[in-house]
């Protein structure tokens, strides 16, 4: 196996090759609150990290790491990636699913007040997502009855590669925390 550390622009990239697989992590800065290129500047909005996140129609988590990525690539030409934008695309932007413990009591105390029973900005403010990664390349994912060999996982082996990749984080208005 071979481990490589590259620093490219503002992002740090780590790579590890294991047989036909290349595992890589990319870590960058927290996403800016808006595009800094400006409306009159000539830039490709599809390539601009901040512009890409503007497609989401709900408030973003407090910290989004738009360039961060965990990638498992196979030499056969397919890969599995984990990226913030793809994860946040699966957050429900139509309905508020969670209420803080004091919400019911707060509403009872304000019965009869117009608009108190309606959420002004309905979206899943906990940023819950069913994201399981983004498949890249010509590969078909099918359900299987195969299971992970738990006994094999219990064996002590050398750790060949480790990195921690954070895609987004939010304190949920002091009502807990969300992290992916």
């Amino acid at each position: 196996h071979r481990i490589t550390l590259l620093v490219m622009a503002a992002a740090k990239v780590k790579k590890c090759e294991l047989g036909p697989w290349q595992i890589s992590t990319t870590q960058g800065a927290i996403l800016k609150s808006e595009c800094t290129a400006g409306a009159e500047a000539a830039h490709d909005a599809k390539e601009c990290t901040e512009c890409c996140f503007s497609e989401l129609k709900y408030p973003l988590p407090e910290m989004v790491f738009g360039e961060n990525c965990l990638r498992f690539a196979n030499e056969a030409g397919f890969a599995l990636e984990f990226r913030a934008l793809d994860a946040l695309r699966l957050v429900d932007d139509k309905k508020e699913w969670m209420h803080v413990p004091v919400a019911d009591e707060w509403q009872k105390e304000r019965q009869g007040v117009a608009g108190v029973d309606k959420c002004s900005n309905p979206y899943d403010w906990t940023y819950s997502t069913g994201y399981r990664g983004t498949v890249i390349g010509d590969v078909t994912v099918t359900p299987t009855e195969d299971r992970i060999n738990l006994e094999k996982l219990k064996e002590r082996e050398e750790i060949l590669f480790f990195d921690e990749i954070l895609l987004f984080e939010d304190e949920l208005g002091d009502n807990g925390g969300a992290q992916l």
Side-chain angles (χ1 to χ4, degrees):
H1 65 279
R2 186 178 73 200
I3 298 177
T4 309
L5 175 63
L6 304 168
V7 178
M8 300 171 65
K12 180 176 82 171
V13 179
K14 283 175 69 174
K15 295 181 180 184
C16 177
E17 293 180 13
L18 298 165
W21 292 95
Q22 183 182 71
I23 304 165
S24 63
T25 58
T26 304
Q27 293 186 42
I30 295 173
L31 190 70
K32 296 178 182 88
S33 59
E34 59 186 34
C35 176
T36 56
E40 60 280 344
H43 78 286
D44 186 355
K46 292 179 182 178
E47 295 296 321
C48 175
T49 307
E50 286 78 15
C51 290
C52 289
F53 279 85
S54 68
E55 77 180 54
L56 302 174
K57 302 303 178 201
Y58 55 87
L60 293 178
E62 294 166 343
M63 292 179 282
V64 177
F65 299 88
E67 295 179 16
N68 286 11
C69 177
L70 169 62
R71 179 181 173 93
F72 300 91
N74 189 281
E75 64 187 20
F78 61 89
L80 178 65
E81 286 187 346
F82 295 88
R83 295 182 168 275
L85 180 59
D86 293 337
L88 289 169
R89 282 179 175 142
L90 296 181
V91 170
D92 191 337
D93 66 349
K94 305 283 189 266
K95 182 177 179 186
E96 181 180 17
W97 293 97
M98 287 286 179
H99 292 279
V100 294
V102 295
D104 291 335
E105 184 179 322
W106 185 90
Q107 282 186 328
K108 283 180 191 175
E109 291 177 10
R110 288 156 181 82
Q111 280 183 334
V113 177
V116 168
D117 59 337
K118 294 182 181 177
C119 181
S120 61
N121 232 353
Y123 69 97
D124 180 2
W125 58 272
T126 64
Y127 303 101
S128 301
T129 177
Y131 185 58
R132 295 181 179 174
T134 303
V135 177
I136 297 170
D138 189 22
V139 63
T140 304
V141 178
T142 56
T144 180
E145 296 296 320
D146 293 345
R147 296 290 172 237
I148 293 174
N149 182 343
L150 296 178
E151 294 305 313
K152 178 72 175 157
L153 287 177
K154 293 177 185 177
E155 294 177 12
R156 294 276 184 191
E157 293 185 5
E158 178 186 2
I159 297 172
L160 301 176
F161 183 80
F162 173 83
D163 205 353
E164 184 174 15
I165 299 298
L166 190 59
L167 301 180
F168 64 80
E169 183 174 1
D170 194 284
E171 291 183 4
L172 305 178
D174 291 334
N175 291 296
Q179 206 178 58
L180 181 64

